[in-house]
DNA sequence: ATCCAGGCCG
DNA sequence: CGGCCTGGAT
């Protein structure tokens, strides 16, 4: 197979269809969601986002200036809520200071620059930074998460388990198209969540049926 | 009564 | 590496 990633993408899209990922109203909501969703389920994130929305805290300025205790109470359902509250507030305060909360202006910079900038903030690691760049910044970077690594490993496509190497592997072997990056990442999450779990459900897995995966052992 | 989820920090 | 933490599934 010459282009295993493209083949996989087409197979997943055929099986699952478009995922309509990251239904957020604003860029800031995507940033907040990206931090909140670390190591938890999206279901819990939705509760936290709605709590923040009710208190009108889904803006750079309001969240950056909100009392930490108040944020903590609202985002509790996501877990690690004290750390995440601190991170949310810190990131907001940073954005307020550096672009007055104007995210369009913030994202106007070069991708590489933005990535470094985001990675300096506490609470934003590589995956979160790339999620923010791809979904809020509309930058063409591929997001690597635990699901992606696991799927790749089982397909025998994981040569090195280094974040940036895996990312470049995707970026080199796919059409340079933001929409495809978004859709593919979302499809991998769907696959990981429903079939390629810790204990995989190979029997019913569409990727196995397509002959793209060797299956268990 | 565990186990795990769309990680990150020190 | 351990610690951070809630909610749902097993």
């Amino acid at each position: 197979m010459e282009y295993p990633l493209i083949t996989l993408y087409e197979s997943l899209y055929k099986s699952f269809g478009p995922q309509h990922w990251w239904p957020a109203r604003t860029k800031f909501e995507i940033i907040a969601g990206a931090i909140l969703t670390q190591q938890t389920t999206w279901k819990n994130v939705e509760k936290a986002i709605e709590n923040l929305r009710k208190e009108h805290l889904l803006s750079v300025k309001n969240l950056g200036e909100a009392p930490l205790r108040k944020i903590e109470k609202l985002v509790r359902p996501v877990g690690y809520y004290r750390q995440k509250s601190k991170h949310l507030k810190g990131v907001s305060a940073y954005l307020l200071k550096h672009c007055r909360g104007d995210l369009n202006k913030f994202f106007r910079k070069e991708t590489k620059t933005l990535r470094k900038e985001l990675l300096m903030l506490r609470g934003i690691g590589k995956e979160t930074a790339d999620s923010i760049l791809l979904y809020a910044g509309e930058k063409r970077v591929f997001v690597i998460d635990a699901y992606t690594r696991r799927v790749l490993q089982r397909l025998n496509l994981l040569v090195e388990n280094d974040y940036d190497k895996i990312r470049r592997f995707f970026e080199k072997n796919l059409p340079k198209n933001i929409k495809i990056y978004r859709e593919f990442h979302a499809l991998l999450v769907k696959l990981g969540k429903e079939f390629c779990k810790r204990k995989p459900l190979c029997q019913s897995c569409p990727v196995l049926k397509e002959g793209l995966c060797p299956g268990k052992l």
Side-chain angles (χ1 to χ4, degrees):
Chain A
M1 208 171 304
E2 196 162 3
Y3 296 110
L5 290 183
I6 296 178
T7 310
L8 176 63
Y9 171 71
E10 288 174 345
S11 172
L12 290 174
Y13 192 87
K14 188 152 57 74
S15 302
F16 299 141
Q19 296 300 298
H20 309 102
W21 237 44
W22 227 303
R25 307 187 185 179
T26 64
K27 292 182 187 301
F28 183 68
E29 192 173 320
I30 294 174
I31 294 173
I35 291 170
L36 290 170
T37 198
Q38 291 162 4
Q39 196 67 23
T40 192
T41 60
W42 185 255
K43 187 80 180 172
N44 293 336
V45 177
E46 283 180 327
K47 292 179 198 161
I49 293 275
E50 283 317 304
N51 289 342
L52 291 170
R53 195 192 310 285
K54 279 182 210 153
E55 301 293 323
H56 306 102
L57 290 186
L58 281 177
S59 75
V60 176
K61 182 169 169 55
N62 290 353
L63 197 55
E65 293 175 348
L68 201 52
R69 302 300 167 217
K70 184 174 183 183
I71 303 174
E72 288 178 353
K73 190 183 295 184
L74 299 170
V75 307
R76 201 159 184 275
V78 299
Y80 305 144
Y81 64 97
R82 284 183 294 194
Q83 291 200 111
K84 286 177 183 175
S85 296
K86 209 183 304 175
H87 296 157
L88 237 30
K89 178 161 171 147
V91 168
S92 303
Y94 176 89
L95 292 171
L96 196 54
K97 181 176 176 184
H98 288 263
C99 64
R100 294 169 164 206
D102 183 347
L103 294 178
N104 290 316
K105 184 169 121 193
F106 177 72
F107 285 119
R108 210 162 285 155
K109 282 164 280 185
E110 203 177 326
T111 303
K112 216 173 164 185
T113 311
L114 279 168
R115 194 165 193 268
K116 282 183 197 157
E117 199 174 343
L118 288 169
L119 286 174
M120 293 186 65
L121 302 176
R122 282 183 295 128
I124 299 184
K126 289 179 179 177
E127 180 185 338
T128 306
D130 289 342
S131 293
I132 291 171
L133 290 173
L134 179 63
Y135 291 100
E138 302 177 62
K139 303 294 186 182
R140 191 179 58 76
V141 293
F142 204 92
V143 178
I144 306 300
D145 54 28
Y147 290 141
T148 305
R149 291 177 199 237
R150 193 162 67 211
V151 171
L152 243 56
Q153 181 157 30
R154 289 179 176 160
L155 293 175
N156 290 321
L157 292 173
L158 191 64
V159 272
E160 285 194 73
N161 199 5
D162 172 82
Y163 185 97
D164 289 301
K165 286 183 179 167
I166 302 174
R167 179 168 62 85
R168 270 177 239 128
F169 175 60
F170 275 87
E171 293 176 355
K172 278 179 189 164
N173 289 283
L174 291 174
K176 305 209 176 313
N177 181 320
I178 292 178
K179 292 189 72 173
I180 289 180
Y181 282 26
R182 289 178 170 173
E183 198 64 66
F184 198 3
H185 172 233
L187 287 164
L188 284 165
V189 171
K190 170 108 172 164
L191 177 68
K193 223 185 274 194
E194 297 190 359
F195 299 98
C196 206
K197 312 203 275 194
R198 304 277 286 250
K199 298 182 68 177
L201 304 176
C202 298
Q203 281 72 353
S204 48
C205 179
V207 176
L208 187 73
K209 288 196 176 75
E210 293 273 321
L212 301 178
C213 181
K216 285 198 283 185
L217 293 187

